[in-house]
Amino acid sequence: MIHMRGVVHHFLRGTVNEVVALAGVNLHVRPQEFVTIIGSNGAGKSTLLRALAGVVMADAGRFTVADTDITCWLEHRRAELISRIDQNPLASTAPQLSIEENMALAFLRGRNRGLGMAVTGKRRDVFRAALSKVALGLEDRLTTKVGTLSGGQRQALALVMAILAEPRVLLLDEHCAALDPKAAAQVMAITEKVVSEQKLTTMMVTHNMEHAIRYGNRLLMMHKGRVVVDVSGPEKTCLTASGLVEKFHILSGEILPDETLLTS
Amino acid sequence: METVLTSGTEEGLIYGFMALGILLSFRMLGFPDLTVEGCFPFAAGVAATLLVAGASPPVATIVAVLSGIVAGLIAGAIHTRLGINNILAGILVASALYTAQLRTMGRPNVPLLNYDTIYGQALGFLGLTESRWGNIAFLAMLTLIVGGALFWFLHTDLGLAVRATGDNEIMVRSLGVDVRDTKMITLALGNGLVALSGALAAQEQGFADVSMGIGTLVAAAAAVVIGETVLGQGGVGRSLLSAVLGSIAYRALLAFGLRLGFPATDFKAVAAVLVLLALVAPQLRNRWRETVTRRAVARGGAAT
Ligand SMILES: Nc1ncnc2c1ncn2[C@@H]1O[C@H](COP(=O)(O)OP(=O)(O)OP(=O)(O)O)[C@@H](O)[C@H]1O
Ligand SMILES: [Mg+2]
């Protein structure tokens, strides 16, 4: 479903502050695979998702989604196939608009927008049904301005908006980080449910080791712009949080050379 | 006093279209569109030249509006396709429009005193006699039609994308909207409205002049800001209404000032101060609140 080949990206290129955010990533994600991604701060996780969604145009590398080469597509065109929630809770919703207006914007993701009414009775029913899945009571506050919601509520709304138009690929960047533990568990459960129901191919960045292990069927660890651990299937089910944390520390301290880890 | 109110209302309605245009570009998109400074007099010049050449008032007015839309599209293209800073894009187009207007009119001022205007025609059509109140009735109807159309457009899928572009551009792009297009649409609509205002102003005052655009952006922004202060910010309907009412209030103030003997030119500075105050007011309010809280904490009181 997703092919990334030789993806390289630098920030502030040619200056003394140059950062190699992605140092050559090769990744093939199969249809309906649910990949969790962990890694220390600055490992390049967000940049990887942003490069795939076209928010940043990678310096090098090719991207293919659903057998279509999207390397040269700009972000708004990639939105047809890819839906992404940013790790910043303020980035994925429009504060001055109401909940229903935000939903109406997401309803037509990647499609042409014409002169039909954005919020109709019929669409409102769809919005209400979709919002009731997150059970935060947002379905009863359709005309509330999104700017008045809490960060967690906004992120939950962002999840509903991300899956409303049934994308092929769902990219989640720490979408539960702003939520309290109970809401986070709830939103994760909903994420898992819709991912399997809508047969989405998903990549999810998280700092929560439990989530990384429990959800999904493949786990990647990134370090310094590379994928250094890639486990899936039964091997992933056997991972433990403490084992992962240990790997994490080893990588951060760089006690072992990368080769050792790649074969672990 | 009565003339202050009637002339304030009449001019306020004429400049209300400009306030609506500024509401779209400046308030909704956050684009300080200086194109309007050239677009307003240019549209006036186009309308006046056409009237003198024998065109019917509605045709002259519509062509003027179309010329404003084109000006907005050009400024939008310069900004979004060539990546030129928004203020500079507007200044470039306004500057070019100055030449275009002089070329169109052939001289700096075109008088219209003996020509039939849109007011005369519309009032004749409605069976009313020409008077200030008649003009006000016609302008109010036109405002209702244009405002209603805007209200409808801003609630469509495309209009919602236009509004959202100014609110959270990052999100709108991620939802598959080419924000270059929504920005161009906003500027086209905004300048179309400003052009309508220019064509109506020329026909009301009986001339078009190259210098009539100076300070129009700030004056219109002041009108929008006054409306927001009085009516408060809210949904689309309230924003549209407050822009028009703000424009009427601003023009009534101006007429009142003229009555008191202040020259009209003084109002450019007043408008500038008003807009500045409105822009910094939220910051000042926050800073003041912080200071109060800090003092309360320092005094050992509970900061709430
Ligand atoms: N807009 C930017 N400008 C400059 N450098 C950037 C920018 N965005 C990211 N970087 C740099 O790129 C590197 C990778 O950043 P990225 O956001 O992908 O990390 P991450 O793995 O998502 O980290 P976190 O877990 O903290 O979110 C970091 O060193 C960061 O400083
Ligand atoms: Mg990140």
Side-chain angles (χ1 to χ4, degrees):
Chain A
M1 180 57 101
I2 307 169
H3 275 280
M4 294 190 233
R5 281 182 298 269
V7 177
V8 175
H9 192 70
H10 302 79
F11 284 106
L12 310 171
R13 201 169 193 183
T15 70
V16 284
N17 296 320
E18 180 174 300
V19 188
V20 186
L22 296 175
V25 174
N26 294 295
L27 192 63
H28 175 200
V29 181
R30 282 175 288 278
Q32 295 180 46
E33 208 161 40
F34 185 164
V35 184
T36 57
I37 305 173
I38 56 172
S40 50
N41 295 122
K45 309 176 296 292
S46 297
T47 308
L48 184 70
L49 298 196
R50 292 205 176 112
L52 177 56
V55 184
V56 296
M57 291 307 252
D59 295 338
R62 295 215 78 80
F63 298 87
T64 312
V65 171
D67 299 321
T68 316
D69 189 326
I70 59 163
T71 310
C72 299
W73 289 18
L74 291 178
E75 183 187 1
H76 63 86
R77 189 144 177 234
R78 294 191 194 185
E80 238 171 78
L81 303 166
I82 301 171
S83 192
R84 187 181 67 91
I85 300 186
D86 199 88
Q87 84 182 77
N88 175 0
L90 304 181
S92 310
T93 46
Q96 299 288 332
L97 304 182
S98 64
I99 293 179
E100 59 185 11
E101 287 171 329
N102 273 273
M103 293 287 284
L105 282 166
F107 188 71
L108 288 188
R109 166 192 300 283
R111 280 192 276 157
N112 281 335
R113 289 161 206 267
L115 296 177
M117 278 291 132
V119 179
T120 59
K122 222 189 233 170
R123 282 191 189 177
R124 247 190 219 119
D125 292 339
V126 176
F127 300 164
R128 251 190 227 110
L131 285 166
S132 62
K133 281 190 203 155
V134 290
L136 286 174
L138 295 178
E139 65 275 18
D140 301 322
R141 305 171 60 185
L142 285 183
T143 53
T144 304
K145 251 196 200 182
V146 168
T148 65
L149 299 179
S150 74
Q153 288 171 326
R154 278 180 78 163
Q155 211 62 335
L157 173 62
L159 175 66
V160 178
M161 286 166 60
I163 54 185
L164 189 62
E166 313 208 343
R168 307 291 295 271
V169 169
L170 180 61
L171 304 179
L172 305 167
D173 195 351
E174 301 183 35
H175 69 306
C176 291
L179 298 163
D180 67 63
K182 190 166 155 262
Q186 202 168 26
V187 171
M188 266 319 303
I190 296 153
T191 307
E192 194 183 35
K193 190 166 147 239
V194 294
V195 162
S196 68
E197 269 176 15
Q198 298 190 14
K199 304 196 188 341
L200 296 171
T201 307
T202 307
M203 293 173 75
M204 179 180 86
V205 173
T206 177
H207 283 296
N208 184 323
M209 296 297 154
E210 302 260 350
H211 286 177
I213 294 168
R214 181 135 61 94
Y215 298 102
N217 38 32
R218 183 172 171 191
L219 182 143
L220 305 179
M221 188 187 289
M222 285 189 72
H223 187 60
K224 293 196 165 171
R226 286 175 210 279
V227 176
V228 291
V229 175
D230 181 349
V231 292
S232 48
E235 202 185 340
K236 176 171 183 286
T237 4
C238 297
L239 288 171
T240 60
S242 57
L244 266 184
V245 170
E246 200 175 316
K247 271 189 189 167
F248 218 87
H249 285 315
I250 292 169
L251 277 167
S252 316
E254 284 181 279
I255 297 166
L256 296 175
D258 282 356
E259 289 73 31
T260 327
L261 281 152
L262 276 170
T263 53
S264 69
Chain B
M1 199 62 211
E2 206 206 312
T3 49
V4 166
L5 284 182
T6 49
S7 80
T9 308
E10 185 184 16
E11 295 211 330
L13 287 170
I14 291 174
Y15 287 88
F17 295 106
M18 183 192 291
L20 289 174
I22 298 307
L23 180 75
L24 288 181
S25 57
F26 183 57
R27 263 324 198 198
M28 286 186 185
L29 188 59
F31 192 123
D33 182 22
L34 280 161
T35 317
V36 303
E37 303 245 323
C39 178
F40 180 75
F42 179 65
V46 167
T49 308
L50 283 172
L51 285 177
V52 170
S56 80
V59 169
T61 307
I62 289 169
V63 174
V65 170
L66 291 179
S67 72
I69 290 175
V70 172
L73 286 175
I74 292 173
I78 291 176
H79 174 59
T80 62
R81 312 282 150 164
L82 303 180
I84 306 293
N85 160 294
N86 52 13
I87 294 186
L88 192 54
I91 292 178
L92 291 175
V93 176
S95 181
L97 283 175
Y98 181 81
T99 305
Q101 186 189 359
L102 272 173
R103 282 278 173 186
T104 312
M105 302 201 305
R107 55 200 154 141
N109 185 297
V110 172
L112 281 175
L113 288 177
N114 296 318
Y115 295 90
D116 198 10
T117 66
I118 187 111
Y119 301 100
Q121 272 212 343
L123 293 182
F125 183 74
L126 296 171
L128 296 168
T129 51
E130 261 186 82
S131 69
R132 187 151 261 170
W133 282 110
N135 284 359
I136 289 176
F138 161 65
L139 287 166
M141 267 157 63
L142 195 59
T143 303
L144 268 182
I145 294 168
V146 171
L150 268 180
F151 182 82
W152 163 79
F153 172 71
L154 292 171
H155 283 94
T156 63
D157 282 317
L158 186 61
L160 183 60
V162 161
R163 271 196 289 152
T165 301
D167 195 16
N168 189 346
E169 187 177 332
I170 297 173
M171 164 221 183
V172 172
R173 216 184 293 132
S174 81
L175 291 176
V177 176
D178 190 341
V179 294
R180 295 174 302 185
D181 293 344
T182 49
K183 286 180 183 178
M184 301 237 322
I185 291 170
T186 312
L187 293 182
L189 281 177
N191 282 286
L193 287 161
V194 169
L196 176 59
S197 186
L200 291 172
Q203 295 176 67
E204 191 258 345
Q205 66 196 17
F207 63 88
D209 191 280
V210 278
S211 65
M212 64 193 266
I214 301 168
T216 44
L217 173 59
V218 174
V224 170
V225 157
I226 291 174
E228 274 173 5
T229 315
V230 176
L231 280 186
Q233 278 167 297
V236 175
R238 192 192 283 192
S239 298
L240 296 175
L241 184 67
S242 71
V244 174
L245 293 183
S247 174
I248 292 175
Y250 178 76
R251 292 292 148 179
L253 273 177
L254 205 146
F256 188 62
L258 290 177
R259 250 306 179 69
L260 294 180
F262 291 103
T265 41
D266 280 9
F267 269 79
K268 307 241 188 262
V270 174
V273 171
L274 274 178
V275 173
L276 182 67
L277 275 181
L279 293 180
V280 297
Q283 280 178 45
L284 288 180
R285 210 179 304 137
N286 286 347
R287 226 176 286 165
W288 184 72
R289 267 194 210 133
E290 263 169 43
T291 318
V292 171
T293 317
R294 228 178 292 130
R295 284 211 192 116
V297 173
R299 253 187 263 116
T304 46

